[in-house]
Amino acid sequence: MKTVRQYITGIVIYSLSMVCQSATEDMERGGYLRDFPLALGPRYELQVYATAGVTLNSMAAHTYFQAIDPLVPAKLQNFVQPVWSIFWTFNFTMWPHDFGHWARANQAGGDFRINTYRFPFPISEMIQPVEASQAERTLMSSGGFEINALMRRDVEYRFYENGYGYADELIHAFIQTIMFPMYGFLIAPADPYDPKTWTDTYGDPVEYTLHIYKHYTGREAIRENGDVDQTLVDLYNETLLANTVWTLLDPMLYQGAAAFGVDSRKEQGRVYPWRLGNEDFSWSYSTRFNPSPLGYELYFINHLKLHQYLYFVEFRWGRPFQNLGVGLRTPNLWQSNSWRLGAAVDWWDQDIFGRGGAVSIQPRWHIGQRLDLAFDASWKDDGYLIGRRLDKDFTTLAYIIFSY
């Protein structure tokens, strides 16, 4: 992992130099701000790597249009730009995905090692400690998809919070949204009736579903007659079906797809969210699928704007373990010209963990022309909340936010 961190650090330094070099020119062109946040926190917190994935992808896109595109001959631009975007979007999807496995494994006392970098996927191995609980083993398998869901969530929150976003961000979010079905149908398609599917366990959706099945039933996947347990087959098919349907019901999916046709040379590819209403009151919704240690969970997120205040009201439901939850978050509970205070609260009722909740406060200070400092101080009870540790804990993350 040391080599990966050095690799990403180099990209950060180079991209930040490009951002700063063009910042003054950008500010003269309009009043829109684009944030590049970097998170600092405990080593194995998933949000640190999710934030890095989104920001580094945005920096790569910004670097191209500010520093490279003007140097590319017009006849080659339609070739060079897609190649550049595909390369970086792929890397800033898969590397954070693998860091999700790594972080969840280390939280449980294990490890996830990338032995060889190979395109498109590196050769890696998961080291699971004997003492790890079944829920922790499940998270080691699903941690990559958690990071994908967190990256998509970060783009979504910022998109509605600012009232605008950029094509490269929405395209990146689109890729995160389709990662699970892409794995299940294209990257690692599996026949759930084939016993080899559950003995070789190729692909994260297969490995993840097997963990959930064993935890929920306590049975082995292969029956005495050599057939696959029908309960496991049904759970695998149900998980893929729920993911597909819930993803197709998501308006953000279609805004992300439309972003592929946006010209980023015009207004830097700025796009605006679909909403019902006006400046004083508006509403829109989105959906989210996430593989949790309780089984798949489905989110229904309401985006409410009341005058200058924005609220995200989230409802979630999951199975096969009972998983009910509700969340409320706002980025501007209180604000002034120099700082603002955001907050979030969650409550859940879950099999295995019982009832619990979480509270978070998020102050942000504007400390310079193009620099903000923010914190996210949060407490949570025992239970599962996307991206957070399973045990009761208190976590503080710091954010350095470069803007132009």
Side-chain angles (χ1 to χ4, degrees):
M1 303 302 290
K2 181 179 180 181
T3 302
V4 176
R5 289 196 293 270
Q6 291 175 338
Y7 169 74
I8 292 178
T9 300
I11 298 300
V12 171
I13 294 173
Y14 175 73
S15 299
L16 282 177
S17 69
M18 293 295 100
V19 170
C20 295
Q21 185 177 25
S22 61
T24 302
E25 179 182 332
D26 290 327
M27 291 182 68
E28 292 174 354
R29 282 202 289 262
Y32 291 88
L33 292 176
R34 183 165 189 179
D35 291 344
F36 296 95
L38 293 173
L40 305 173
R43 188 180 181 190
Y44 303 130
E45 292 299 322
L46 274 68
Q47 187 59 56
V48 172
Y49 305 102
T51 301
V54 173
T55 295
L56 293 174
N57 184 75
S58 297
M59 285 180 172
H62 177 78
T63 298
Y64 177 83
F65 286 107
Q66 294 295 326
I68 299 175
D69 189 67
L71 304 177
V72 177
K75 293 182 178 180
L76 296 178
Q77 287 179 346
N78 289 335
F79 170 77
V80 175
Q81 190 274 325
V83 170
W84 176 275
S85 297
I86 291 171
F87 176 80
W88 290 117
T89 299
F90 175 83
N91 276 280
F92 293 133
T93 295
M94 292 310 304
W95 280 113
H97 177 96
D98 286 337
F99 269 104
H101 292 303
W102 174 78
R104 283 302 193 186
N106 279 273
Q107 286 177 8
D111 200 2
F112 179 77
R113 297 175 182 173
I114 298 177
N115 298 320
T116 304
Y117 177 80
R118 187 180 66 178
F119 185 85
F121 306 113
I123 299 176
S124 58
E125 62 174 324
M126 179 73 74
I127 301 173
Q128 297 186 354
V130 176
E131 66 275 12
S133 68
Q134 185 59 56
E136 290 174 325
R137 293 174 187 274
T138 304
L139 280 176
M140 294 180 204
S141 175
S142 63
F145 291 125
E146 271 192 295
I147 289 280
N148 297 127
L150 288 172
M151 290 194 290
R152 150 60 199 268
R153 187 185 72 174
D154 285 0
V155 172
E156 178 183 342
Y157 283 171
R158 199 183 311 167
F159 188 40
Y160 285 95
E161 178 183 335
N162 293 334
Y164 60 89
Y166 296 90
D168 60 88
E169 295 173 337
L170 291 185
I171 291 171
H172 189 251
F174 174 87
I175 300 301
Q176 312 317 309
T177 303
I178 67 172
M179 272 294 289
F180 194 93
M182 189 164 60
Y183 250 95
F185 292 112
L186 297 177
I187 297 175
D191 177 4
Y193 288 97
D194 185 351
K196 290 184 179 180
T197 296
W198 308 107
T199 55
D200 297 344
T201 61
Y202 174 69
D204 290 348
V206 168
E207 180 75 23
Y208 165 75
T209 306
L210 182 60
H211 279 297
I212 292 295
Y213 163 81
K214 287 184 175 181
H215 196 184
Y216 186 68
T217 67
R219 300 197 298 262
E220 292 298 321
I222 311 302
R223 306 181 68 177
E224 292 182 0
N225 63 1
D227 293 338
V228 179
D229 191 319
Q230 186 62 42
T231 301
L232 175 57
V233 173
D234 292 342
L235 179 60
Y236 181 77
N237 289 334
E238 179 185 333
T239 300
L240 284 183
L241 178 61
N243 171 262
T244 302
V245 172
W246 209 241
T247 299
L248 290 174
L249 290 175
D250 183 13
M252 278 283 290
L253 176 76
Y254 302 101
Q255 284 219 258
F260 283 93
V262 173
D263 186 354
S264 292
R265 298 177 181 88
K266 298 178 180 178
E267 295 187 326
Q268 300 177 48
R270 194 175 302 124
V271 292
Y272 303 89
W274 298 337
R275 284 173 167 161
L276 294 175
N278 52 44
E279 286 299 314
D280 289 329
F281 174 80
S282 66
W283 171 85
S284 60
Y285 82 92
S286 61
T287 66
R288 186 184 310 136
F289 173 94
N290 179 57
S292 83
L294 298 158
Y296 68 85
E297 56 182 11
L298 307 177
Y299 287 71
F300 185 83
I301 305 108
N302 297 272
H303 312 130
L304 294 171
K305 184 180 180 184
L306 303 176
H307 301 290
Q308 72 270 34
Y309 297 101
L310 180 65
Y311 301 94
F312 299 96
V313 184
E314 301 182 350
F315 301 96
R316 64 181 177 273
W317 169 89
R319 56 166 273 110
F321 288 102
Q322 176 180 289
N323 183 6
L324 301 174
V326 61
L328 172 64
R329 46 196 30 85
T330 176
N332 56 348
L333 183 65
W334 191 90
Q335 61 185 4
S336 69
N337 291 332
S338 59
W339 79 290
R340 73 184 188 193
L341 180 66
V345 59
D346 286 274
W347 176 89
W348 57 80
D349 184 2
Q350 302 170 342
D351 282 347
I352 307 174
F353 305 112
R355 295 178 180 178
V359 179
S360 173
I361 57 171
Q362 301 139 6
R364 174 169 172 171
W365 290 271
H366 183 62
I367 60 176
Q369 188 178 29
R370 293 187 293 273
L371 185 65
D372 283 21
L373 180 64
F375 292 91
D376 185 343
S378 57
W379 172 90
K380 70 171 286 292
D381 207 343
D382 291 316
Y384 176 74
L385 187 63
I386 183 171
R388 299 290 302 277
R389 297 171 186 256
L390 289 175
D391 297 333
K392 182 184 298 184
D393 80 322
F394 180 83
T395 303
T396 299
L397 300 177
Y399 292 84
I400 300 174
I401 306 167
F402 301 90
S403 305
Y404 71 86

